[in-house]
RNA sequence: GCAGGUGUUGUGUAGCCUGGUAGCACAAAGGCCUUCCAAGCCUUUAGCCCGGGUUCAAAUCCCGGCACCUGCACCA
């Protein structure tokens, strides 16, 4: 939101702030404070509820330290090094491997090799023809060193891989039926060259990822795409139109049914956490922007004071990941489909043990061993014997009703930190009359259920308020108690961190046993009985109004 | 990584050019007052990014480092 410095409020109010502050801070690393941690938790909970209510989605919680083989198979390892070289004269930066490759030379990803090739080929700056400097290595993944001499490990650059390599566990869990999906909430790590802009580009970030698996012959989700929320779709051909995910699928804007479905889920989730759907659009990746494995990718973008930022990527990963893990691990990560039952007659050649024993009673074991090794002849007692005559052909009926295939994957990946940034951006508003800031987030992601405030900290009001506070805590409500300063100041304090209800204990409370409940957005107050508070907070009757 | 800019209590900032007690506002804590939307008064807590140099004296000038911000480049 323009006019409000989100970062300043986040820092002052303990929502989020730069990590390692007392040591000067480190860019791209942010911590969540007392309010932010709780909000983050509730956003994650909302996301999980949205996803898990599909019925055929299950959770996975994997490690962040990752086996190197996984990243070699996934292709990350090869992109682990970025070789850059800079013009000494004008400062233009190039990818060293690109420069060499452009000259038709097959590239070896090695610094010294690239350095000598550049010298050998006499490659100069493309802009000013100046001399190029030293080839530098940028590591894009964080490396974890093990014992000296052994292979290093890496912190995962995405949470997805754990869900691919454990595909079979989930395939069994879902009793071998597709489609199903796996979700993970966790951290990923990327060594960004220049992480900046608060929560937008981080080196350690929170992701909520979903990997859904389909039979390529039936790429359909179990429910129909959302048809009640419309947003703008921007295609890679530059077309722009307003549509619901269902429309978009039916009109062929979005090719994949599940992809359209997940767009709808995303919209439902955004709206549940208070993101303004009017400031959301889906943008299709251009051909040259697509990852090498993807045939179709859509980003959900939100409009914030940083401009349009990507908050979710929905990518068609095809069979890329499972295929690579099958190759690299040699393990079975196939799914099976039922096909029309057919009987196949298989011809097999078998060893005729009886004849061998009858003809060569003493050498039979030697002959059999030779045949099992695949020998076609053997010399026994000076005579060369053709072993092929001991093979008899047999026919066998085999019933085939299943076949293997590699499932295709559609991945909706939500960037939690950017979603938090968007939520704050869309919900921080300035009151017109006072100029004070109010964070109008939904109750479901509000950091606390309510604040309990005595009108004044005397005449027993504080004692009464405190007993209400203790009582609500016992009933597992998340509440705060505050008796400092004037009542108006306290209301404002909780408005700014998005707490929806302030419960005030005043002089009538002592007489009548009731309190006032004040609504954050409207500032309207009503009176209810003390006993009714739990029920009221549980029902949240003000939500959505 | 390059270029430019910046670093002063919890937050926002003044002071730096021209060296001499580090100031303001808000926030926070304690008190007085106050019967519902950041009231007032008194009191208090708390700061010059780090290291070195120049100087009688450095927030201020010089050197080095670190960090952050913006642009460019890079990048899921």
């Amino acid at each position: 939101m323009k006019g409000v410095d989100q970062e300043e409020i986040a820092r002052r109010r303990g929502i989020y702030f730069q990590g390692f502050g007392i040591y000067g801070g480190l860019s791209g690393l942010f911590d969540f404070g007392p309010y932010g941690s709780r909000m983050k938790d509730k956003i994650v909970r909302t996301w999980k509820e949205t996803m898990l209510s599909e019925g055929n989605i299950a959770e996975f919680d994997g490690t962040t330290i990752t086996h190197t083989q996984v990243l070699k198979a996934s292709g990350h390892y090869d992109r682990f090094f970025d070789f850059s070289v800079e013009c000494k004269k004008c400062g233009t930066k190039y990818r060293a491997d690109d420069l060499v490759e452009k000259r038709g030379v097959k590239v070896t990803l090695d610094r010294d090799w690239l350095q000598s090739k550049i010298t050998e080929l006499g490659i100069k700056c493309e802009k000013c023809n100046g001399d190029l400097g030293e080839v530098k290595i940028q590591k894009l993944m964080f490396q974890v060193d093990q014992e000296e001499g052994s292979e290093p490990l890496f912190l995962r650059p995405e949470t997805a891989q754990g869900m691919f390599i454990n595909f079979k566990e989930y395939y069994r869990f879902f009793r071998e039926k597709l489609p199903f999906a796996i979700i993970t909430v966790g951290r990923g790590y990327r060594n960004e060259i220049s992480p900046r802009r608060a929560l937008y580009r981080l080196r350690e970030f929170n992701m909520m990822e979903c990997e859904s698996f389909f039979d390529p012959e039936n790429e359909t989700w179990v429910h129909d795409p959302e048809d009640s929320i419309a947003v703008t779709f921007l295609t890679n051909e530059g077309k722009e139109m307003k549509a619901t995910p269902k429309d978009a699928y039916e009109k062929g804007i979005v090719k994949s049914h599940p992809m359209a479905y997940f767009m709808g889920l995303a919209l439902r989730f955004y709206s549940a956490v208070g993101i303004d759907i009017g400031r959301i659009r889906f943008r299709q990746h251009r051909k040259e922007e697509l990852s090498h494995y993807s045939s179709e990718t859509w980003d959900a973008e939100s409009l914030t004071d940083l401009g349009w930022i990507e908050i979710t990527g929905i990518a068609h990963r095809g069979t890329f990941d499972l295929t690579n893990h099958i190759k690299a691990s040699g393990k079975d990560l196939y799914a099976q489909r039922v096909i029309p039952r057919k009987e196949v007659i298989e011809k097999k050649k078998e060893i005729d043990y009886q004849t061998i024993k009858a003809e060569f009673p003493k050498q039979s074991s030697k002959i059999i061993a030779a045949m099992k090794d695949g020998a076609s002849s053997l010399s026994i007692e000076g005579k060369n014997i053709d072993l092929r005559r001991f093979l008899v052909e047999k026919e066998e009926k085999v019933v085939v009703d299943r076949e293997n295939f590699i499932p295709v994957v559609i991945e909706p990946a939500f960037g939690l930190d950017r979603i938090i940034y968007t939520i704050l951006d869309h919900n921080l508003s300035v009151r017109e009359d006072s100029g004070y800031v109010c964070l109008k987030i939904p109750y479901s992601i509000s950091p606390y259920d309510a604040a309990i405030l005595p009108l004044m900290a005397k005449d027993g009001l504080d004692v009464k308020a405190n007993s209400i506070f203790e009582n609500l805590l016992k009933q597992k409500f998340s509440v705060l108690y505050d008796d400092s300063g004037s009542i108006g100041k306290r209301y404002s304090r909780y408005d700014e961190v998005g707490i929806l209800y302030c419960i005030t204990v005043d002089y009538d409370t002592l007489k009548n046993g009731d309190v006032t409940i004040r609504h954050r957005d409207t500032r309207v107050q009503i009176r209810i009985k003390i006993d009714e508070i739990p029920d009221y907070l549980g029902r949240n009757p003000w939500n959505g109004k």
Side-chain angles (χ1 to χ4, degrees):
Chain A
M1 149 108 210
K2 302 254 185 253
V4 180
D5 184 347
Q6 172 180 144
E7 265 191 87
E8 193 263 319
I9 290 172
R11 192 163 39 238
R12 185 160 47 78
R13 285 303 192 197
I15 299 172
Y16 65 82
F17 34 78
Q18 187 154 48
F20 308 100
I22 68 164
Y23 291 109
L26 272 178
S27 69
L29 299 170
F30 276 80
D31 294 332
F32 289 97
Y35 292 114
S37 306
R38 295 189 62 95
M39 281 176 60
K40 174 172 169 251
D41 237 37
K42 289 190 163 185
I43 293 163
V44 168
R45 200 190 300 167
T46 306
W47 186 78
K48 282 188 180 176
E49 279 165 8
T50 307
M51 302 306 283
L52 294 175
S53 67
E54 287 296 300
N56 60 340
I57 298 186
E59 279 188 71
F60 173 71
D61 189 357
T63 61
T64 59
I65 294 179
T66 302
H67 196 297
T68 306
Q69 290 302 329
V70 170
L71 298 162
K72 284 185 176 168
S74 70
H76 287 97
Y77 189 84
D78 289 333
R79 284 173 277 144
F80 163 43
F81 292 122
D82 198 14
F83 295 93
S84 66
V85 65
E86 205 171 315
C87 171
K88 285 191 212 165
K89 207 164 125 198
C90 71
T92 307
K93 205 172 166 179
Y94 300 95
R95 287 270 302 258
D97 45 327
D98 279 356
L99 288 177
V100 174
E101 200 168 16
K102 269 187 198 167
R103 282 159 178 78
V105 181
K106 196 170 183 304
V107 168
T108 305
L109 289 175
D110 176 87
R111 175 160 53 179
D112 295 339
W113 186 91
L114 285 165
Q115 187 77 70
S116 62
K117 269 292 165 199
I118 286 172
T119 318
E120 189 187 316
L121 296 168
I123 300 175
K124 300 273 183 184
C125 174
E126 291 176 356
K127 276 191 188 159
C128 70
N129 208 33
D131 286 338
L132 296 173
E134 262 178 58
V135 174
K136 286 180 183 164
I137 296 180
Q138 172 72 35
K139 294 182 180 184
L140 300 173
M141 287 195 289
F142 286 103
Q143 187 171 313
V144 181
D145 287 327
Q146 299 198 79
E147 204 178 314
E148 220 179 311
S150 57
E151 198 166 32
L153 299 169
F154 296 92
L155 297 180
R156 62 183 179 194
E158 59 177 14
T159 61
Q161 295 305 322
M163 295 184 267
F164 296 134
I165 61 178
N166 291 293
F167 169 71
K168 271 281 152 126
E169 301 291 334
Y170 285 80
Y171 188 55
R172 276 194 291 277
F173 174 82
F174 284 108
R175 294 185 313 285
E176 310 195 353
K177 284 195 189 80
L178 295 184
F180 67 79
I182 314 174
I183 59 169
T184 278
V185 176
R187 296 184 186 250
Y189 307 82
R190 275 176 208 164
N191 192 12
E192 296 286 348
I193 300 168
S194 60
R196 246 172 243 175
R197 291 180 160 178
L199 298 186
Y200 181 66
R201 174 155 298 153
L202 298 172
R203 292 195 281 180
E204 173 170 343
F205 48 93
N206 294 283
M207 312 174 84
M208 306 187 291
E209 286 196 308
C210 171
E211 305 300 336
S212 59
F213 299 90
F214 300 86
D215 184 335
E217 290 179 3
N218 181 24
E219 204 183 297
T220 319
W221 189 245
V222 291
H223 303 119
D224 272 335
E226 176 69 48
D227 197 28
S228 62
I229 311 173
V231 292
T232 299
F233 285 76
L234 259 176
T235 73
N236 59 9
E237 288 154 356
K239 280 190 220 153
E240 187 175 338
M241 65 211 77
K242 198 132 188 169
T244 66
K246 193 176 180 208
D247 277 347
Y249 173 64
E250 283 170 359
K251 287 179 184 152
I253 301 164
V254 176
K255 306 277 182 304
S256 150
H257 178 271
M259 204 171 259
Y261 187 79
F262 288 123
M263 287 173 162
L265 266 193
L267 293 177
R268 245 186 278 162
F269 164 69
Y270 297 153
S271 111
V273 294
I275 288 175
D276 174 11
I277 296 297
R279 281 181 267 176
I280 290 290
R281 71 177 184 197
F282 287 111
R283 189 181 66 81
Q284 185 174 23
H285 278 206
R286 295 182 304 276
K287 294 259 150 54
E288 66 275 16
E289 202 180 352
L290 283 174
S291 309
H292 51 293
Y293 50 74
S294 184
S295 55
E296 186 178 13
T297 296
W298 288 84
D299 283 345
E301 299 182 323
S302 69
L303 183 60
T304 68
D305 61 359
L306 298 174
W308 286 100
I309 62 172
E310 177 198 342
I311 57 173
T312 300
I314 305 178
H316 201 300
R317 297 180 76 128
T319 59
F320 177 82
D321 299 278
L322 290 176
T323 304
N324 285 332
H325 286 304
I326 288 169
K327 270 191 220 154
S329 68
K331 293 293 188 310
D332 170 7
L333 299 177
Y334 294 95
Q336 291 193 316
R337 68 168 76 90
V338 174
I339 55 169
R341 183 190 167 90
K342 58 183 173 186
E343 291 183 352
V344 179
I345 297 181
E346 282 191 2
K347 288 183 180 174
K348 277 187 178 172
K349 286 190 173 174
E350 287 189 357
I351 298 168
D352 183 353
Y353 296 97
Q354 298 305 324
T355 312
I356 298 171
K357 277 186 190 165
E359 289 188 27
F360 298 94
K362 288 183 181 161
Q363 282 87 6
S364 64
S365 64
K366 203 174 167 186
I367 294 170
I368 291 165
M371 288 182 75
K372 285 191 172 166
D373 280 343
S376 58
S377 64
L378 188 68
S379 121
I380 289 176
E381 292 166 356
K383 275 164 117 190
N384 207 30
I385 298 163
D386 183 359
L387 296 174
R388 282 172 294 189
R389 68 189 173 91
F390 297 121
L391 287 173
V392 285
E393 202 158 87
K394 278 195 173 173
E395 291 189 349
E396 200 177 320
K397 273 188 201 167
V398 182
V399 177
V400 180
D401 61 358
R402 314 199 92 192
E403 67 181 2
N404 276 353
F405 67 92
I406 301 174
V408 293
V409 169
I410 289 168
E411 173 198 77
F414 295 71
L416 180 50
D417 310 280
R418 292 171 177 191
I419 285 170
I420 292 172
Y421 188 88
T422 301
I423 292 171
L424 293 174
D425 186 273
H426 287 191
N427 290 283
L428 281 170
S429 63
V430 179
R431 290 203 195 282
E432 279 182 18
D433 48 359
S434 57
Y436 300 135
V437 171
C438 180
L439 178 62
K440 297 185 172 176
I441 49 175
Y443 186 53
S444 57
I445 65 158
S446 172
Y448 286 87
D449 296 329
I452 315 302
L453 317 170
L455 187 59
M456 272 169 300
K458 61 172 192 179
D459 300 331
L461 294 179
D462 47 350
V463 177
K464 186 71 193 167
N466 205 34
S467 81
I468 293 172
F469 169 66
E470 294 279 357
N471 202 11
L472 287 170
L473 281 180
K474 270 185 209 144
Q475 296 182 61
K476 311 295 179 206
F477 284 96
S478 60
V479 285
L480 293 164
Y481 172 85
D482 188 352
D483 62 14
S484 76
S486 75
I487 190 71
K489 184 185 252 182
R490 280 175 277 157
Y491 288 150
S492 247
R493 185 179 291 158
Y494 298 110
D495 283 351
E496 208 172 38
V497 291
I499 293 174
L500 188 60
Y501 297 120
C502 282
I503 295 174
T504 306
V505 171
D506 58 19
Y507 288 92
D508 288 342
T509 305
L510 303 180
K511 276 188 270 175
N512 308 326
D514 55 9
V515 292
T516 68
I517 287 201
R518 169 191 179 272
H519 184 241
R520 177 194 65 206
D521 301 346
T522 59
R523 289 187 277 189
V524 170
Q525 279 176 294
I526 59 163
R527 292 200 83 86
I528 64 167
K529 294 284 175 201
I530 291 171
D531 318 341
E532 292 168 5
I533 299 173
D535 178 57
Y536 192 92
L537 293 179
R539 280 188 298 126
N540 179 34
W542 242 314
N543 193 25
K545 291 190 184 155

